[in-house]
């Protein structure tokens, strides 16, 4: 695997989502993954809840809400109009600007009639 990171490590790495004596990170977020098995101890963990996204990390994974949503995995809520998602929280667009539902960046906030400025209203 071209972009896999490899190390010479012991059994602890296998438990941490790495496989083999020359360990490569396991992509627990792979397409079609419904659970993640750890062969060293036979355990497995459920994939991310419906409506959330999986982010592979070195030796593990994290679940989060998709861009344009806030909340917690499994309980993600789309950002309302006139708001955008910033670091997992829906925040208001700058004064005099508007955005569609589910906006994932301040650049989605555009100036209303009677206002002028760059994308993001900044």
């Amino acid at each position: 695997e071209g972009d896999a990171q490899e190390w010479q490590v012991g059994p602890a790495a296998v438990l941490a989502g790495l496989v083999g004596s020359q360990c490569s990170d396991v992509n627990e977020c792979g397409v079609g993954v419904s659970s993640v098995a750890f062969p060293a101890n036979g355990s497995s963990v459920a994939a991310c809840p419906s409506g959330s996204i999986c982010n592979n990390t070195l030796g593990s994974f994290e679940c989060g809400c998709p861009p344009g949503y806030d909340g917690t995995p499994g309980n993600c809520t789309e950002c309302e109009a006139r708001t955008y998602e910033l670091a997992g929280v829906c925040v208001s667009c700058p004064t005099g600007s508007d955005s569609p539902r589910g906006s994932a960046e301040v650049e989605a906030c555009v100036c209303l009639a009677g206002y002028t400025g760059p994308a993001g209203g900044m």
Side-chain angles (χ1 to χ4, degrees):
E1 299 175 311
D3 61 351
Q5 296 185 11
E6 297 183 357
W7 300 267
Q8 294 287 336
V9 293
V14 176
L15 295 175
L18 303 171
V19 293
S21 59
Q22 184 175 3
C23 297
S24 297
D25 180 47
V26 173
N27 181 0
E28 295 90 353
C29 300
V31 176
V33 174
S34 60
S35 66
V36 179
F38 296 100
N41 64 7
S43 68
S44 64
V45 294
C48 294
S50 178
S52 59
I53 58 172
C54 184
N55 296 305
N56 190 52
T57 61
L58 186 59
S60 190
F61 69 100
E62 297 172 345
C63 299
C65 292
Y69 287 73
D70 72 358
T72 57
N75 193 28
C76 299
T77 304
E78 185 176 38
C79 292
E80 298 290 331
R82 295 192 179 190
T83 68
Y84 66 98
E85 179 259 323
L86 175 66
V89 178
C90 297
V91 296
S92 296
C93 284
T95 301
S97 64
D98 193 6
S99 70
R101 288 180 58 90
S103 295
E105 54 190 13
V106 69
E107 287 78 15
C109 300
V110 294
C111 294
L112 297 168
Y115 292 85
T116 186
M122 306 291 232

